[in-house]
């Protein structure tokens, strides 16, 4: 692969600066946000690069686990921040984080040990990017699904309570909401799989091809990743929606919307 | 005095209570009171839809001896503004026969109607129909005729009077004292979180 010099990056940055200048001149109100986001990209990725350099050099399970835990906690925070309405107290954070842990970590470990068979199985060059892609996508699904459950419960309160009042089980009364929330969480990955290769070339495959991997090798990895993401997102969303919709009710199957903020 | 079909002992829910209340078997008891007094809250607590303290008993059996949905199927709250979970009326009317619908002024074709196109009065009567169709033992009625014209109101009152029988009971919330005089064997007013015999209730005693 042809290495990039700082000058090359500066040229790319000039394009963003030009865009910001146009936005500023046209008073579009996005110039500042654009520049901040661009600066964040550069700084955050640089830091991640440094961290990865260290972790790759150490290659110990402890380092990989620590980085994985940090990634999970940050993803959990992101999921919580994206909720219009979320559960009060520790559940607001724990629901999404627990769901992502259960699905993304399980799928990653399964892929590393059974499918890829890297040695050792936690080899950071495979483990960290894989977990990163899985967490990033699972996070989207979990955040969408959770948001749909909590916002939906507020909106459908009368309908849910009508069914409870008529003698329905809580699970029955909340079933349409669960279905809709799971669907909302899964739509992005379903769309991504449907459009892969037609509308856009997936990022990882593009990266591997740029790095000199033969296209068919890159394709195989991309298909693997897509399937892993679908499973991770799907099971993560299912877990989050299931946990959240249970948490909406108490032991006497009453709808407890005051648990949301 | 018949046995109590539904009984509350020391029932407290938020600012309401503690309340003791007996609804005798085969009877209708009226409940009135100013808006915001907590009448709906009380009905919701009786149906175990609202966290509360104290006891509610059906035929002398405590609510916690029933599974929650089985309690609510027996002690059924019919809210003033009912919620609907499906698009057509028929999807809500599981178990309702044509005779019941006819007594509330609907033909069988009502099953195909769109819920969102129903008038307030139609919603109210259909909410009652779907409750009766599920064969409750106690009805907790929250302003069941508030949106109805005189003819529909009379139809609902007569339907419910005919529904009452041994093994059944009604707690009827209304602002219309004349109505409570017609339908209820006794009536209470909820004010300041407490129940008091309704002024004039002597007439029913």
């Amino acid at each position: 692969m042809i290495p990039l010099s700082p000058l090359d990056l500066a040229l790319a940055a000039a394009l963003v600066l030009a865009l910001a200048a146009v936005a500023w001149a046209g008073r579009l109100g996005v110039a500042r946000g654009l520049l901040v986001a661009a600066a964040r990209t550069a700084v955050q990725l640089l830091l991640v690069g440094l961290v990865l350099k260290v972790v790759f050099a150490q290659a110990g399970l402890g380092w990989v686990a620590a980085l994985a835990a940090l990634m999970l906690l940050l993803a959990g925070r992101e999921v919580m921040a994206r909720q219009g309405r979320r559960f009060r107290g520790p559940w607001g954070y724990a629901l999404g984080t627990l769901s992502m842990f259960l699905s993304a970590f399980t799928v990653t470990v399964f892929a590393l040990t059974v499918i890829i068979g890297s040695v050792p199985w936690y080899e950071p060059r495979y483990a960290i990017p894989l977990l990163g892609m899985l967490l990033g996508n699972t996070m989207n699904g979990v955040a969408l699904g959770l948001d749909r459950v909590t916002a939906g419960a507020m909106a459908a309160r009368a309908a849910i309570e009508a069914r409870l009042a008529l003698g329905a089980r809580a699970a029955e009364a909340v079933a349409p909401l669960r279905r809709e929330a799971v669907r909302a969480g899964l739509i992005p990955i379903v769309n991504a799989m449907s459009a892969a290769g037609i509308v856009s070339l997936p990022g990882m495959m593009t990266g591997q091809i740029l790095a000199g991997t033969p296209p068919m090798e890159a394709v195989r990895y991309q298909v693997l990743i897509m399937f892993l993401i679908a499973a991770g997102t799907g099971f993560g969303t299912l877990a989050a929606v299931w946990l959240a919709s249970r948490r909406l009710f108490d032991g006497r199957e009453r709808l407890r919307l005051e648990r949301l903020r | 005095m018949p046995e109590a079909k539904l009984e509350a002992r020391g029932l407290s829910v938020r600012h309401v209570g503690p309340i003791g209340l007996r609804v005798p078997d085969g009877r209708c008891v009226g409940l009135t009171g100013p808006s915001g007094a907590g009448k709906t809250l009380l009905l919701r607590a009786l149906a175990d839809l609202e966290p509360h303290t104290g006891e509610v008993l059906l035929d002398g059996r405590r609510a916690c001896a029933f599974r929650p949905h089985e309690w609510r199927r027996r002690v059924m709250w019919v809210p003033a503004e009912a919620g609907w979970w499906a698009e057509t009326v028929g999807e809500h009317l599981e178990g309702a026969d044509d005779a019941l619908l006819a007594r509330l002024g609907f033909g069988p074709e009502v099953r195909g109607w769109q819920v969102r196109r129903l008038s307030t009065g139609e919603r109210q009567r259909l909410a009652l129909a779907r409750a009766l169709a599920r064969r409750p033992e106690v009805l907790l009625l929250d302003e069941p005729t508030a949106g109805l014209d005189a003819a529909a109101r009379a139809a609902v009152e007569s339907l419910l009077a005919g529904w009452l029988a041994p093994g059944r009971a009604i707690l009827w919330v209304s602002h219309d004292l004349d109505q409570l005089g017609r339908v209820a064997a006794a009536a209470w007013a909820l004010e300041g979180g407490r129940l008091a015999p309704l002024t004039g209730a002597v007439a029913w005693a």
Side-chain angles (χ1 to χ4, degrees):
Chain A
M1 193 155 94
I2 304 163
L4 293 177
S5 70
L7 178 66
D8 299 330
L9 291 182
L11 286 172
L15 289 176
V16 177
L17 284 174
L19 176 63
V22 171
W24 181 76
R27 297 172 185 275
L28 302 181
V30 292
R32 195 186 146 81
L34 179 69
L35 289 176
V36 170
R40 280 189 64 167
T41 289
V43 173
Q44 285 166 196
L45 290 182
L46 233 118
L47 285 176
V48 168
L50 289 174
V51 169
L52 290 181
K53 201 172 151 188
V54 171
V55 174
F56 285 10
Q58 305 293 330
L61 180 57
W63 282 88
V64 176
L67 186 56
L70 181 68
M71 288 160 71
L72 175 69
L73 295 181
L74 290 175
R77 220 181 120 245
E78 182 68 21
V79 165
M80 188 170 76
R82 286 194 205 169
Q83 305 298 305
R85 297 224 164 235
R86 60 170 195 263
F87 286 93
R88 292 174 191 277
W91 281 104
Y93 183 77
L95 266 177
T97 311
L98 181 66
S99 312
M100 285 188 294
F101 174 71
L102 288 177
S103 75
F105 277 62
T106 310
V107 171
T108 303
V109 170
F110 172 76
L112 289 172
T113 51
V114 179
I115 302 179
I116 298 176
S118 51
V119 182
W121 66 269
Y122 52 85
E123 165 63 39
R125 204 163 64 82
Y126 289 91
I128 297 297
L130 203 60
L131 182 64
M133 281 187 285
L134 273 160
L135 264 182
N137 285 279
T138 306
M139 180 179 82
N140 283 332
V142 166
L144 283 169
L146 276 182
D147 192 52
R148 203 56 73 94
V149 168
T150 51
M154 297 296 289
R157 177 187 172 170
I160 294 170
E161 290 210 316
R163 301 188 82 167
L164 292 179
L166 290 166
R169 307 284 317 245
E172 203 183 327
V174 83
L177 192 59
R178 275 186 177 162
R179 253 197 311 275
E180 200 193 316
V182 169
R183 197 174 301 156
L186 279 179
I187 281 174
I189 181 62
V190 170
N191 287 346
M193 286 198 291
S194 311
I198 302 176
V199 183
S200 65
L201 286 182
M204 190 193 74
M205 188 174 115
T206 315
Q208 282 193 303
I209 291 174
L210 281 176
T213 308
M216 286 314 288
E217 288 294 317
V219 162
R220 262 183 243 156
Y221 259 90
Q222 188 63 52
V223 170
L224 170 71
I225 289 296
M226 285 296 216
F227 288 173
L228 295 180
I229 287 176
T233 308
F235 287 119
T237 307
L238 278 174
V241 167
W242 189 79
L243 287 170
S245 56
R246 280 195 58 124
R247 180 71 192 149
L248 285 173
F249 297 89
D250 64 15
R252 294 295 293 174
E253 301 194 9
R254 308 175 187 117
L255 184 63
R256 300 292 294 273
L257 291 181
E258 77 276 11
R259 288 177 177 177
L260 297 174
R261 52 192 285 169
Chain B
M1 187 90 171
E3 290 288 295
K5 179 69 187 175
L6 184 74
E7 186 174 1
R9 292 182 191 157
L11 179 67
S12 288
V13 45
R14 286 188 245 163
H15 63 284
V16 175
I19 274 174
L21 177 68
R22 284 169 49 94
V23 182
D25 191 29
R27 298 285 173 81
C28 172
V29 167
L31 180 65
T32 191
S35 298
K39 302 184 293 295
T40 298
L41 205 54
L42 179 58
L43 295 192
R44 287 171 53 89
L46 290 169
D48 204 3
L49 282 164
E50 201 72 52
H52 56 266
T53 56
E55 300 192 316
V56 186
L57 304 99
L58 181 73
D59 296 321
R61 280 180 72 197
R62 299 170 56 174
C64 54
F66 295 83
R67 294 164 79 194
H69 66 286
E70 285 167 355
W71 174 264
R72 289 180 203 122
R73 190 171 274 266
R74 290 177 169 84
V75 180
M76 194 171 286
W77 175 51
V78 183
E81 282 173 33
W84 305 83
W85 59 88
E87 281 185 21
T88 65
V89 169
E91 291 166 88
H92 301 85
L93 286 180
E94 173 197 323
D97 57 29
D98 291 351
L100 170 64
L101 295 174
R103 291 208 57 184
L104 287 163
F106 296 105
E109 72 282 358
V110 72
R111 290 191 170 85
W113 291 7
Q114 296 286 313
V115 168
R116 64 192 151 79
R117 304 183 70 167
L118 296 174
S119 72
T120 311
E122 287 165 343
R123 283 168 190 260
Q124 202 151 27
R125 284 177 288 153
L126 288 168
L128 185 61
R130 76 183 185 190
L132 287 171
R134 285 169 171 82
R135 308 187 180 287
E137 294 175 32
V138 178
L139 279 173
L140 308 171
L141 303 175
D142 205 343
E143 301 271 2
T145 62
L148 303 185
D149 60 31
R153 189 166 59 234
V156 166
E157 286 179 11
S158 117
L159 173 69
L160 288 168
W163 179 80
L164 270 181
R168 293 171 173 173
I170 296 178
L171 182 60
W172 187 313
V173 167
S174 178
H175 283 292
D176 180 350
L177 298 188
D178 292 336
Q179 177 175 58
L180 292 186
R182 287 193 298 274
V183 301
W188 300 85
L190 182 62
E191 204 166 352
R194 299 301 170 114
L195 280 187
L198 189 60
T199 321
V202 188
W204 298 308

